[in-house]
Amino acid sequence: MIKRALLSMALVLAGCDTVPLQDTPTRAQIADSTLPPMKSFSAPRPQVPSRSNANIAADFLALHFELESGRELPIMTRFENPITVRVTGAPPPSLQADLARLLSRLRNEAGIDIRQVGSGAANITIEAVGRSEIRRALPQAACFVVPNITSLADFRRERRREKTNWSLLSTRETLGIFLPNDATPQEVRDCLHEELAQAIGPLNDLYSLPESVFNDDNMHTVLTGYDMLILRATYAPELRSGMTRAQVARVLPDLLARLNPAGNGIGRQRVSRTPRSWIDAMQRALGPGAGLETRVRAANEATRIAQGQGWTDQRRAFSHYTLGRMIQMSDADLAQRHYATALKFLDQTPGTDLHKAHVRAQTAAYAISRGDGANALAQLRGPIEDVRRAENAALLATMMLLQAEALDLEGRGEEAAATRLDSLGWARYGFGSDWAVRALMRDVALLNPRNRLGG
């Protein structure tokens, strides 16, 4: 229900010398007025779920009958009538196009009767406000959704009353979503996907899900094929608000067989529950406000817990990836070993191509910092397409800029210049302002030893 403000996806420079930013040779000296326009993704390309229907049924129950705190919900709730959505506040320019695209996907992929209205009452009100206002309401939240509320002012008055308690709902009729209007276009879109999905569907997030936005690892930023299946099942005629966990469990095997027949042919995987101790350690490692030393201790603790659990899935990999990110400035070689361990577990876990892409961005950056352009290009080629499919513009722009530096190292200057220019439209969507795009370009350029040495 709350998208937490975790560490940003900024690229950490692997062992670079520090030089004044104004002296950094980026080879892309483009005036602000001539920066290419912001790019946007076209037709969605969601992948079919990789999990068995038996696993998806267990996921469905955990998603719908538990809150993120672990508190159990007595019944399932959903909207029982066509859903209307309206936007209030001061929405940023990018919001309307992203909302229209998302509503179209929900209608076409999940079969949900949902539409936007321009005025009057609506089932779901999306209010766009400043990030500072959201933090005053919920300090750890980047965006959030609340039942029986239509404005942030209402939430401040009613936040401790029964009407805002998810566990007391019998059905869903009115909800409020609060998004930042001063974040990057991608951050606003990411909040929109997660919060609208939870407004109409599951209330829980599970770290055990490798291919879903219903996961606090924030690897997926737009609704996946798996998520659309969960939402389609949520609004199937076999289910309704008020059903108990046992009642839903009896219906799910036949329901999923009808909606996802391929899932019956996939073997069930054994998935253990995620202990609260690991979740708490990850939140300390990734959450705001703590110093680096505290975050490193928390990441080490999460890695030890994951190993003790005997995990071999993306949770184990995420532990090592997070620790690698924390220590790569102080011990780049050890960080690379953690990345290698993460990739080992991801290679044996279906549905983790995007997770591997996040790791490859770090290992390719390290290769570039060592002057090994060929190695970096080999690492980036496939993952770039996985990131494009997943519609993560910030990561896509970063990886394309890395690719450009690797091409320069290989003496392919024209290709490098074209790739660098092509990345900027994605960077404007992913990172927002011109100064942020230019800072990204400078940071990536500094990885290249030739730039650091003034060559």
Side-chain angles (χ1 to χ4, degrees):
M1 290 175 292
I2 297 171
K3 187 176 181 65
R4 289 179 173 83
L6 303 181
L7 284 178
S8 67
M9 198 236 22
L11 185 71
V12 178
L13 304 183
C16 294
D17 296 330
T18 300
V19 298
L21 291 180
Q22 63 269 25
D23 296 333
T24 301
T26 66
R27 298 184 312 286
Q29 297 295 330
I30 303 171
D32 286 346
S33 60
T34 60
L35 276 174
M38 182 185 299
K39 291 188 177 184
S40 60
F41 294 97
S42 55
R45 297 186 294 157
Q47 293 183 303
V48 298
S50 65
R51 293 164 77 79
S52 71
N53 279 347
N55 283 117
I56 294 172
D59 298 341
F60 188 95
L61 295 173
L63 286 168
H64 273 285
F65 288 94
E66 297 172 24
L67 296 176
E68 291 182 48
S69 64
R71 183 176 182 180
E72 294 187 1
L73 295 170
I75 58 172
M76 174 183 160
T77 61
R78 69 179 191 185
F79 287 97
E80 295 299 333
N81 296 300
I83 305 168
T84 54
V85 179
R86 68 169 181 165
V87 177
T88 64
S94 62
L95 177 60
Q96 181 54 48
D98 283 332
L99 175 60
R101 191 167 183 265
L102 175 54
L103 295 180
S104 176
R105 286 194 62 197
L106 290 171
R107 288 190 294 268
N108 296 330
E109 298 175 41
I112 296 174
D113 189 350
I114 186 169
R115 63 185 177 89
Q116 186 176 357
V117 296
S119 60
N123 300 113
I124 299 173
T125 299
I126 300 172
E127 186 176 21
V129 299
R131 282 179 286 193
S132 60
E133 294 184 63
I134 290 176
R135 291 189 185 117
R136 279 198 296 271
L138 284 178
Q140 301 301 316
C143 43
F144 63 100
V145 58
V146 187
N148 298 315
I149 292 295
T150 60
S151 72
L152 199 57
D154 287 343
F155 175 69
R156 293 192 189 100
R157 288 192 300 267
E158 308 287 348
R159 61 181 301 174
R160 303 193 186 281
R161 299 187 181 182
E162 290 186 353
K163 65 184 296 184
T164 63
N165 189 331
W166 287 102
S167 64
L168 299 179
L169 291 186
S170 59
T171 187
R172 300 192 201 181
E173 297 176 349
T174 304
L175 292 105
I177 293 174
F178 305 102
L179 305 180
N181 60 13
D182 50 0
T184 70
Q186 179 167 319
E187 288 175 304
V188 176
R189 181 210 62 185
D190 295 352
C191 276
L192 180 64
H193 274 246
E194 181 169 345
E195 303 309 332
L196 187 56
Q198 294 197 303
I200 63 178
L203 300 174
N204 197 8
D205 281 331
L206 298 173
Y207 276 105
S208 59
L209 301 182
E211 48 189 337
S212 175
V213 301
F214 301 119
N215 187 329
D216 274 334
D217 66 12
N218 284 0
M219 289 291 173
H220 286 278
T221 55
V222 300
L223 292 171
T224 66
Y226 172 95
D227 297 328
M228 289 297 181
L229 174 60
I230 292 292
L231 291 171
R232 182 176 285 274
T234 299
Y235 284 85
E238 293 94 326
L239 300 180
R240 66 185 184 280
S241 293
M243 293 180 72
T244 66
R245 187 176 187 130
Q247 289 172 324
V248 173
R250 286 194 292 270
V251 171
L252 281 176
D254 290 341
L255 171 57
L256 290 173
R258 175 172 68 81
L259 297 180
N260 185 42
N264 278 355
I266 301 174
R268 179 169 188 164
Q269 294 177 303
R270 183 181 177 275
V271 180
S272 63
R273 290 181 67 88
T274 306
R276 191 74 231 177
S277 58
W278 184 86
I279 294 173
D280 291 342
M282 290 304 304
Q283 290 179 348
R284 289 197 303 275
L286 294 170
L292 178 60
E293 184 177 343
T294 299
R295 293 202 300 270
V296 169
R297 283 199 302 270
N300 269 304
E301 181 183 351
T303 303
R304 287 193 297 270
I305 294 170
Q307 183 176 8
Q309 290 288 314
W311 289 338
T312 59
D313 60 13
Q314 80 287 343
R315 291 173 293 181
R316 177 76 178 273
F318 188 53
S319 304
H320 287 280
Y321 168 73
T322 301
L323 184 54
R325 290 292 304 273
M326 299 292 179
I327 67 172
Q328 64 185 14
M329 286 295 289
S330 59
D331 193 337
D333 291 336
L334 179 58
Q336 294 303 306
R337 292 198 290 274
H338 280 292
Y339 295 146
T341 302
L343 288 170
K344 179 186 74 171
F345 291 117
L346 293 173
D347 283 340
Q348 62 193 49
T349 306
T352 60
D353 288 343
L354 186 57
H355 299 69
K356 285 185 274 191
H358 278 270
V359 182
R360 287 299 183 194
Q362 301 300 324
T363 57
Y366 182 78
I368 291 168
S369 75
R370 297 298 184 261
D372 192 349
N375 184 0
L377 288 174
Q379 293 193 63
L380 291 169
R381 191 171 299 113
I384 281 180
E385 290 310 306
D386 294 328
V387 171
R388 192 185 303 273
R389 176 191 288 270
E391 302 186 11
N392 188 329
L395 183 57
L396 177 60
T398 302
M399 296 183 82
M400 291 177 72
L401 287 171
L402 289 169
Q403 188 178 46
E405 294 303 326
L407 287 166
D408 267 328
L409 285 170
E410 292 299 293
R412 297 157 64 179
E414 290 186 7
E415 291 177 71
T419 300
R420 191 175 290 110
L421 182 62
D422 191 30
S423 74
L424 298 183
W426 297 117
R428 295 191 74 173
Y429 185 85
F431 292 91
S433 61
D434 288 347
W435 70 263
V437 173
R438 293 183 182 283
L440 173 70
M441 294 167 64
R442 289 192 293 264
D443 286 350
V444 176
L446 276 173
L447 288 167
N448 190 327
R450 295 176 182 175
N451 293 338
R452 301 204 303 274
L453 297 173

